[in-house]
Amino acid sequence: MKTLTSPLTSVDLLWDTLGFLPVPGGSAPIGLEEKSLERFLKANSPDWHSYYSREAPFHQVTIAPFHLMRYAVTNGHYALFMAQDGYTNPDLWTPDGWAWLLRTKRTQPLHWNTPQFAGEDRPVVGVSWYEATAFARWASLQTGHNLRLPSEVEWEWAARGENTRSFYPWGGAWDAAKLNSGYSDETHPTIGTTTPVGMFSPAGDAPLGHGEMLGQVFEWMNSAFRPYPYDAHDGREDRYAPEMRVRRGGSWLDGKFAHRVTTRYYFPQHYSDKTDGFRLAAGGDALPLPPRPPYDLVVYGRTTFCPDLLHTIRWLHAWNVPYRQLQLDRDEEVALRLDAWLGARTIPTLVVAAWGDVLPITPPTGVDFSHLRNTDRGAMLHEPDESTLRAFLVRHGFLT
């Protein structure tokens, strides 16, 4: 059995106890090969087709070198985050995450006090994507490294390397003794909870030594769920997009069907349950998590295609500017608010607001809205071009 190398008594030991292993760059094989997909589709009812098809097509993705934790973040790691004002410091949270925290009054992970999951060396469970991202920001500040959630292709590359003939990190066939899952048979009864990290090493390790890539806890990815082929530049790695996020790896509760290195699940960013955890990546070519700006930048948008909105979001992502996006086609209150302000649902409208708020710091009263496009009106900006947006962000402290 492998255990943590150092006791978790101080943030000074954080980098060592997180336990990163290097992952080389390369051309990574990603997804389910066509012959495997055809076999799964034939063997299952049509209800399963969308489940397996989301893993196709099989393709190659170029990945920069990075580091990945050997095991998932533990209760011990997470307790340090909580003790260091993790739930009271807005600088650690995305704008949407902080608004969620204020709304829910969350002060700890779901199931934090559940005896079933207690133990310093067990993976933390019940964390939302918001909480996992806040932990990554905190850990970056503590260690001085660019720590973050991995992309789903980084995770898959570490989980299987170039071994495309197996669905499992250890290579070869399914082996219930090499992971903590909800699968059981006469010789492998299910454990029914998490275990201390390292119990399934080295037998269940991935090619580069990463342990428990399958089983234990589903792991949050930075990646938003979008169809394959994977494209890192299509917006799916934008930390502030209000899209569902990918989870990988299966859990202590799930059966054999969930435990493959190509399996993709996705849930809203606020979601958490007793199977959710995470591990961090370090370095690579991902942008570092930025410091919290003095205000929130609120983008009024929609989920349907809008080229002006698409351009605006791409600029914000390229400049690493945190923002909140409110969808008027999903929230009637948002739509009515724009009607009241502007007499029209102008997309995108950008608003500078207090942290956790959505109202402009300078109300748009007595302002002529007859000409809106590319117009900066104090704390509001409508359908901007690139230069107008940059000037607006500099003036309000989002860019220097």
Side-chain angles (χ1 to χ4, degrees):
M1 169 181 171
K2 305 287 185 180
T3 59
L4 299 172
T5 56
S6 304
L8 289 177
T9 57
S10 166
V11 293
D12 295 336
L13 299 170
L14 184 62
W15 173 258
D16 291 335
T17 58
L18 288 174
F20 286 91
L21 295 178
V23 181
S27 181
I30 300 298
L32 202 57
E33 293 183 291
E34 185 175 353
K35 59 184 180 183
S36 298
L37 175 61
E38 291 176 353
R39 186 169 78 252
F40 286 141
L41 295 182
K42 283 183 179 180
N44 292 276
S45 71
D47 296 338
W48 287 80
H49 283 202
S50 63
Y51 173 78
Y52 289 113
S53 295
R54 70 180 69 149
E55 302 169 36
F58 179 79
H59 57 293
Q60 300 287 134
V61 176
T62 301
I63 296 177
F66 68 103
H67 285 69
L68 186 69
M69 287 178 63
R70 184 174 187 188
Y71 302 112
V73 169
T74 65
N75 291 321
H77 298 135
Y78 205 87
L80 288 177
F81 166 70
M82 294 171 63
Q84 293 282 319
D85 301 322
Y87 281 83
T88 57
N89 183 358
D91 187 52
L92 304 178
W93 296 75
T94 65
D96 260 337
W98 184 249
W100 168 81
L101 200 66
L102 294 177
R103 186 172 63 253
T104 61
K105 297 180 172 56
R106 188 98 157 225
T107 60
Q108 60 190 26
L110 200 64
H111 305 293
W112 181 253
N113 292 323
T114 303
Q116 179 185 3
F117 306 111
E120 184 180 79
D121 55 356
R122 293 189 182 201
V124 64
V125 300
V127 287
S128 66
W129 186 90
Y130 291 138
E131 289 164 297
T133 303
F135 180 95
R137 166 77 175 147
W138 169 80
S140 294
L141 294 174
Q142 296 296 334
T143 64
H145 294 273
N146 176 17
L147 305 186
R148 55 186 174 79
L149 295 180
S151 71
E152 64 169 319
V153 293
E154 286 176 327
W155 185 95
E156 187 170 324
W157 174 230
R160 75 168 173 181
E162 297 180 350
N163 180 14
T164 59
R165 295 185 176 183
S166 173
F167 299 124
Y168 311 110
W170 52 85
W174 167 264
D175 186 342
K178 292 181 178 178
L179 77 165
N180 179 14
S181 74
Y183 173 88
S184 63
D185 59 23
E186 293 180 357
T187 57
H188 300 100
T190 182
I191 295 173
T193 185
T194 55
T195 62
V197 297
M199 282 191 64
F200 296 89
S201 291
D205 285 356
L208 298 171
H210 297 89
E212 299 165 0
M213 299 292 279
L214 298 184
Q216 284 279 47
V217 290
F218 271 112
E219 299 175 21
W220 284 110
M221 304 292 106
N222 185 71
S223 310
F225 178 79
R226 294 191 180 183
Y228 277 170
Y230 177 90
D231 180 357
H233 305 293
D234 66 0
R236 72 181 71 204
E237 296 303 334
D238 184 348
R239 297 186 183 100
Y240 308 104
E243 298 178 65
M244 294 192 182
R245 301 289 162 162
V246 176
R247 298 191 312 168
R248 291 292 200 116
S251 79
W252 62 270
L253 183 62
D254 291 271
K256 179 181 176 181
F257 71 95
H259 291 91
R260 291 174 293 109
V261 293
T262 58
T263 303
R264 306 173 74 204
Y265 281 83
Y266 55 97
F267 283 88
Q269 298 170 31
H270 66 265
Y271 182 84
S272 58
D273 69 20
K274 58 188 176 182
T275 67
D276 289 322
F278 64 103
R279 77 177 78 201
L280 298 182
D285 57 6
L287 294 171
L289 293 164
R292 189 77 185 270
Y295 301 103
D296 273 358
L297 181 67
V298 181
V299 180
Y300 285 81
R302 66 186 185 205
T303 56
T304 52
F305 176 73
C306 173
D308 290 334
L309 176 63
L310 188 62
H311 292 318
T312 297
I313 296 304
R314 283 175 175 167
W315 292 326
L316 294 176
H317 178 61
W319 299 334
N320 205 19
V321 174
Y323 67 90
R324 294 180 64 192
Q325 185 173 332
L326 304 182
Q327 311 290 51
L328 62 84
D329 54 343
R330 290 185 176 176
D331 189 331
E332 185 178 17
E333 182 180 347
V334 167
L336 294 176
R337 185 182 299 127
L338 282 189
D339 282 345
W341 284 347
L342 312 178
R345 297 172 185 182
T346 304
I347 304 302
T349 289
L350 292 91
V351 167
V352 179
W355 283 348
D357 204 348
V358 295
L359 300 176
I361 55 173
T362 305
T365 55
V367 177
D368 176 18
F369 290 112
S370 59
H371 301 288
L372 294 175
R373 177 174 287 276
N374 199 37
T375 304
D376 179 344
R377 299 189 183 279
M380 298 182 69
L381 177 63
H382 310 280
E383 302 179 52
D385 64 20
E386 185 175 2
S387 60
T388 304
L389 177 60
R390 178 178 281 277
F392 179 81
L393 296 174
V394 169
R395 181 159 56 83
H396 290 289
F398 294 97
L399 285 177
T400 58

